Amino acid sequence: GDSVTQMEGPVTLSEEAFLTINCTYTATGYPSLFWYVQYPGEGLQLLLKATKADDKGSNKGFEATYRKETTSFHLEKGSVQVSDSAVYFCALENTGNQFYFGTGTSLTVIP
Amino acid sequence: DTAVSQTPKYLVTQMGNDKSIKCEQNLGHDTMYWYKQDSKKFLKIMFSYNNKELIINETVPNRFSPKSPDKAHLNLHINSLELGDSAVYFCASSQDFRVEAFFGQGTRLTVV
């Protein structure tokens, strides 16, 4: 069945460091891929998405490219800020019935 | 206007009680979901409804019963609450497939 494997955390970075959170997926057909962010005490917010191979999603300095050949959708940001501290979830949707989420990666950015 | 709203935000109750969590979306979406998030932040699908019809019913105890009076509402009723039901419950909605879901703020349920 469909599934998402996400880099385990927690991740701690200094401000202005480069961020990569790895995400790979297993799915039949052509799923859409998403990154969601969850700030403490809040719900999940869509960070970015990509709906087909080679699409690049981007938002707030974060980027991820849909790579069908490697079944990956890694999240990157060139320079993280303290305000980026949150839990990040990779997800896929394929059939209209449910979203499959990775286990979440907790990011802490220290000044 | 909040797109997906859940009430209550916090719920503390004793074992054995029955409780409900309400969810409403004003986005006109056809599909609504309930997800459970455990203490390790893992998200697990519980139910999925499309136009008031149950689509997904994962291996959830039958003490949990969803009800969708119309396509804008999906409520969750839980009977005979147990300690293990303590978690954060998220409602979400989406339109069509392969597009993003919008999540509510979550309901933190604590069973004591």
Side-chain angles (χ1 to χ4, degrees):
Chain A
D2 295 354
S3 67
V4 174
T5 301
Q6 187 175 339
M7 186 172 107
E8 296 259 349
V11 173
T12 302
L13 294 174
S14 296
E15 208 165 20
E16 299 184 3
F18 184 84
L19 169 71
T20 300
I21 301 177
N22 290 339
C23 172
T24 57
Y25 69 91
T26 301
T28 54
Y30 304 93
S32 289
L33 302 174
F34 308 88
W35 278 100
Y36 280 86
V37 59
Q38 184 179 27
Y39 298 103
E42 297 187 12
L44 278 73
Q45 301 174 26
L46 178 69
L47 181 59
L48 53 84
K49 66 179 181 182
T51 56
K52 60 184 189 296
D54 299 326
D55 267 3
K56 179 188 278 189
S58 61
N59 186 23
K60 299 181 182 179
F62 291 90
E63 292 183 342
T65 301
Y66 190 141
R67 301 278 188 209
K68 195 159 177 62
E69 64 276 14
T70 53
T71 61
S72 65
F73 193 54
H74 305 320
L75 182 68
E76 296 182 337
K77 187 175 186 184
S79 176
V80 293
Q81 305 301 312
V82 172
S83 57
D84 294 327
S85 297
V87 180
Y88 292 82
F89 293 91
C90 185
L92 74 82
E93 208 291 317
N94 204 11
T95 61
N97 294 338
Q98 66 171 293
F99 286 73
Y100 293 87
F101 286 91
T103 50
T105 302
S106 176
L107 170 67
T108 301
V109 181
I110 52 178
Chain B
D1 260 354
T2 305
V4 181
S5 59
Q6 296 179 228
T7 53
K9 187 167 182 180
Y10 300 97
L11 185 52
V12 181
T13 188
Q14 291 188 325
M15 281 174 54
N17 283 351
D18 302 339
K19 290 293 177 185
S20 291
I21 306 171
K22 294 186 176 181
C23 178
E24 175 182 5
Q25 54 98 359
N26 63 4
L27 298 166
H29 288 168
D30 288 333
T31 305
M32 295 186 73
Y33 314 83
W34 277 108
Y35 278 85
K36 179 180 180 180
Q37 187 176 47
D38 64 21
S39 58
K40 295 185 178 179
K41 300 292 187 184
F42 183 69
L43 283 154
K44 182 176 168 56
I45 184 77
M46 299 175 70
F47 303 103
S48 167
Y49 268 73
N50 183 274
N51 271 318
K52 303 194 301 175
E53 286 195 25
L54 181 65
I55 303 297
I56 294 277
N57 182 355
E58 287 296 299
T59 50
V60 176
N62 58 15
R63 299 180 294 103
F64 290 79
S65 53
K67 282 200 169 43
S68 183
D70 56 60
K71 79 173 196 179
H73 295 84
L74 181 61
N75 303 323
L76 184 65
H77 188 75
I78 316 169
N79 287 330
S80 303
L81 278 154
E82 300 178 356
L83 292 176
D85 297 332
S86 296
V88 180
Y89 292 84
F90 285 103
C91 177
S93 73
S94 68
Q95 180 67 3
D96 211 344
F97 63 105
R98 298 189 191 143
V99 296
E100 64 269 29
F102 292 79
F103 281 77
Q105 290 284 80
T107 296
R108 181 174 293 278
L109 171 65
T110 303
V111 183
V112 297

